[in-house]
Amino acid sequence: MERTTQRMIEIPRDVMTGEELWQPGVLSCQGCGGSLAMKLALKGLGRRTVIVLPACCMSIIVGAYPYSTSQVPLLHVPFETAAAGASGVRAALDIRGEEDVVVMAWAGDGGTFDIGLQALSGAAERNEDILYVCYDNEAYMNTGIQRSGATPAGAWTTTTPDKAVKEESKKDIERIMLSHDIPYMATASVAYPADIYAKFKKIRSIKGTKFIHILSPCPPGWQIDSADSIKVSRMATQSNVFPIYEVENGKYTINVYPEKEVTVKEYMKTQGRFRYITDDAVNAAQEWTDRKWEKLKGMLK
Amino acid sequence: MRQLLKGNYAVAEGARLCRVKVVSVYPITPQTTIVERLSEICASGELDAKFIKVESEHSAMATLVGASSAGVRAFTATSSNGLLLMHEVLHWVAGARLPIVMTNVNRAVSGGWNIWADQTDSISQRDTGWLQIYCESSQEVLDSVIMAYRLAEKILMPVMLTYDAFFLSHTTEVVDVPDIELVDEFLPPYQPEFKLDIDNPRMFGGLMSPDYFYEHRYTVHKASQEALEYYPEVCREFRDIFGRDYDITEEYRTDGAEVIVVTTGTITSVVRITVDKMREAGRKVGLMKLRMFRPVPVDRWRSILGNVAKVVVIDRNLSPGLGGVFADEVQAALYSLENRPSIYPVVAGLGGRDVTPADIEGIINHALSSDDPAGVPLFWGLKE
């Protein structure tokens, strides 16, 4: 098994020098994974992109009227309509003869795993030529940290308080999306910027529904220091809690083999949101993670 | 060309003639035949449009938010529960000033399933900002689609056209389908000043603080009211080209009337023949057909109803705890008049219950013989 090289972790030269389509001055919290993910995504996609944005942290981060940090056209849409709104923009751009413009729905985990899942499933089933990105901070962070279908078992949120932390595992959105037979599905993490950049560059040439699931650390929600969000994200991959892989027309590739391995317990210990978890739940999380990782490796064959 | 068309097919013809570019529709009884017909004409190339076969009405309207924001003419059609599912997005569309046109087949709202004529579905959307126009015939539905785009794209507001389930949606009438070249002359291609544009990137629909939102809402209100100025102009131009006359509100034999019946939808036709019959018998009755319900044409209602002794308002809709909504709004519009008429609110025909000429005559006779309209709705034709 090859290990990740330093090159995967470093910010690629193109990203440093390329056109800045997500300008400074955003309203994100310090250490926000979501805003960094957007910046990297747009570096890969370039200017011929339209963003469709449902209610999520990013709808605040981008700026309030009359300001916008986005240098590409951006359409705000209702919470559960990212994929539907993007389908409509796609149809209109095709009518206008602008087939090369990428329409990117950019939604949080609430807008993807939960309230927006119906519209997303509809768009994926129709194989709409859109890119759907879920930046996943593993809870309803914009409304102040409530559990979502993406919240991992054992996590504290304001709706899974200390005496009743979340018992259910994270919903397997990747498997749900793959069951639609879409041409491209990938995971990514802000801890591996070269990988994000490459994936967003790549999708430009893929027709049909593309889905990218980005783990996006949230310092207030995860109760980590804002300086540690990259480190914690990297540990999510090092522990196999969040493997980085892609599935292109059914073919699986693991893109990041971590440079070192950590346990799920070590990963959880970095975050205040797991401070109420029991030893049994930690063990269950380790087993769940191992099982999923083995299953993923099995798909490579 | 004169054709025999059901109301729903007249709608599809209207969409075709307007050369809509994106269609996004989800089937629901009794709107379904519109979906089928649009599917056919998109597949055959008679209509050069993208047809998005969405998984719900909510997504139907949401896709049109995307399409219309990207600057193309967009169309959908729905009914009843489907319209209610769209509710959130309807507000969004009006707030975003997107000139989408939608037809709604007026069907009762469940629970307790009922698929027949009832206006409670569209009435429930009255505060969304959508303009609402109630139609009486298949010809009117078709013509209204064409006029609706002209109006919507001028004032940048969405327009909802409604007509009764089955009485119109599934009833075959003779309809004059205009030549598409004439429609092109009347309705130029949609070219919005602002749209999602790679060369001129803008953000649409972002967060507005209390410093801005109030004024934004006021501009939506003013835009809606512009329809009162502009729609008569649209109707005049339409008449000049196509020879058919429409207006915001229409009157029939109101001269010297002692009582005017206010109606919407297909009940209007029943009232019209009843008025003829009663006029022949020397009774002084007239009709006001309410077409545009949003924005409220207060001045028109006042000028038609202000000098009559009695007004009967028939509602095929119900706001439980209030009564019929048209009656409520007509009363509100007339209240400030010094010599306001006595108002007789009548609820009739809910859930597709037939309203016959005999019913209308009974309702009018009730109003004429009563001296004391308490403003309490009369529920006409309730079974014991």
Side-chain angles (χ1 to χ4, degrees), chain A residues 18-41:
Chain A
E19 191 176 20
E20 197 60 75
L21 298 171
W22 195 250
Q23 291 280 329
V26 296
L27 300 177
S28 62
C29 308
Q30 290 182 9
C32 171
S35 191
L36 177 56
M38 176 68 95
K39 180 187 173 86
L40 292 164

Side-chain angles (χ1 to χ4, degrees), chain B residues 217-283:
Chain B
R217 291 300 289 166
Y218 182 69
T219 63
V220 174
H221 172 63
K222 294 307 281 181
S224 175
Q225 288 193 320
E226 273 179 50
L228 300 174
E229 301 291 321
Y230 187 61
Y231 196 60
E233 200 180 304
V234 171
C235 292
R236 271 196 301 278
E237 235 182 275
F238 187 89
R239 183 195 57 206
D240 291 346
I241 296 179
F242 302 98
R244 285 183 293 276
D245 216 355
Y246 297 97
D247 204 347
I248 285 178
T249 312
E250 292 171 11
E251 304 177 64
Y252 184 69
R253 302 188 81 164
T254 51
D255 283 350
E258 283 172 20
V259 57
I260 293 181
V261 184
V262 177
T263 63
T264 48
T266 53
I267 289 180
T268 308
S269 305
V270 184
V271 174
R272 192 178 278 113
I273 57 170
T274 311
V275 164
D276 285 344
K277 189 183 158 207
M278 293 179 80
R279 280 277 183 177
E280 272 171 40
R283 314 285 295 276

Side-chain angles (χ1 to χ4, degrees), chain A residues 47-50 59-60 62-68 71-81 84-85 87-89 91-96 98 101 118-119 122-123 125-126 128, chain B residues 21-22 48-50 52-56 58-60 62-72 85 88-89 92 195-209 212:
Chain A
R47 194 169 269 284
R48 292 189 71 76
T49 305
V50 173
S59 38
I60 309 301
V62 69
Y65 178 85
Y67 303 105
S68 168
Q71 301 303 299
V72 300
L74 189 150
L75 178 67
H76 290 267
V77 295
F79 199 178
E80 64 279 57
T81 68
S87 302
V89 174
L93 291 177
D94 287 352
I95 289 275
R96 281 164 48 181
E98 297 180 51
V101 172
Q118 175 180 322
E125 182 270 330
R126 298 190 302 272
E128 295 281 354
Chain B
K21 294 298 180 201
V22 173
D48 180 20
K50 291 269 176 189
I52 308 176
K53 288 158 191 176
V54 282
E55 86 300 331
S56 69
H58 196 279
S59 284
T63 53
L64 296 195
V65 168
S68 189
S69 300
V72 305
L85 187 58
E88 176 199 22
V89 197
W92 193 283
K195 62 178 187 237
L196 293 167
D197 184 357
I198 297 298
D199 298 323
N200 187 12
R202 291 171 185 275
M203 185 168 91
F204 296 86
L207 179 70
M208 273 189 204
S209 72
Y212 296 102

